[in-house]
Amino acid sequence: MKPEIVEAPKGHTGSGFFATSFDEVIGIARSNSLWPLPFATSCCGIEFMATMGSHYDIARFGSERPSFSPRQADLLMVMGTIAKKMAPIVKQVYLQMAEPRWVLAMGACACSGGIFDSYSVLQGIDRIIPVDVYVPGCPPRPEQVLEGLMQVQEMARNESLRRRNSEEYAHLLQSFNIQ
């Protein structure tokens, strides 16, 4: 998979200058410098490690710096089976991340509980935090992970700077008991 060259945003050019909107510049910067926080609990974590390796090289997409501190990350990648006892920790990690923040659920277990339809397994992380992109599979291939990352990049590139202050966004967070 070849990463695309970033296209110049819409703007006005002249002799020695280029002017565009602040939204466009911030969107390009955000989308090409995502810092993922990998929350890996099982086999999907191994696929993420393969995605980080030289063959697939997630660094081509501006995500070469995995952050293991939620305060320095803007993309939470939840991978693998999440037990119900672990749900409060996942939510706490999400809450410690600064805005804007995105969530990628990777693998059948993080998306829907997978094959573990039992009392102890959370049937999808979207029951505790909002999810932006789902990457299905058991485990998903590294190409799927890269496609999911590119979808998050597209969201980051096109998101308005003021969307996070909207009533709709506040209502979404309130539906997850997040203030």
Side-chain angles (χ1 to χ4, degrees):
M1 229 183 252
K2 254 183 143 175
E4 296 179 17
I5 294 176
V6 178
E7 293 181 21
K10 299 173 195 160
H12 303 285
T13 56
S15 179
F17 79 92
F18 179 77
T20 187
S21 72
F22 198 56
D23 277 353
E24 293 283 336
V25 173
I26 296 295
I28 289 172
R30 281 181 179 169
S31 68
N32 292 301
S33 63
L34 293 172
W35 287 5
L37 188 154
F39 195 98
T41 60
S42 47
C43 44
C44 289
I46 304 300
E47 290 299 316
F48 177 70
M49 291 178 209
T51 309
M52 293 287 292
S54 61
H55 186 72
Y56 294 100
D57 194 19
I58 202 170
R60 295 177 296 158
F61 301 92
S63 297
E64 69 269 8
R65 187 203 172 274
S67 177
F68 297 100
S69 167
R71 290 173 181 87
Q72 298 172 351
D74 49 13
L75 171 62
L76 177 60
M77 297 178 74
V78 181
M79 305 165 236
T81 310
I82 303 297
K84 288 184 180 175
K85 284 185 175 182
M86 200 180 299
I89 285 85
V90 174
K91 189 171 185 174
Q92 181 180 9
V93 167
Y94 176 79
L95 291 173
Q96 289 177 351
M97 294 172 66
E99 290 283 359
R101 56 189 173 208
W102 295 275
V103 177
L104 184 140
M106 180 178 155
C109 294
C111 292
S112 65
I115 59 170
F116 304 106
D117 188 12
S118 70
Y119 70 94
S120 63
V121 174
L122 189 66
Q123 299 300 303
I125 64 163
D126 56 359
R127 297 196 176 197
I128 56 167
I129 58 174
V131 175
D132 297 299
V133 175
Y134 295 90
V135 179
C138 186
R141 299 267 314 137
E143 295 90 351
Q144 290 173 273
V145 178
L146 292 177
E147 176 64 29
L149 179 67
M150 289 190 294
Q151 288 179 6
V152 173
Q153 282 182 317
E154 192 64 30
M155 291 173 65
R157 183 177 296 115
N158 296 323
E159 183 176 272
S160 166
L161 294 178
R162 300 208 178 5
R163 181 185 88 83
R164 304 281 171 157
N165 297 332
S166 70
E167 286 185 30
E168 179 183 311
Y169 188 69
H171 181 26
L172 171 71
L173 291 180
Q174 208 168 35
S175 69
F176 288 97
N177 292 324
I178 297 172
Q179 278 71 29

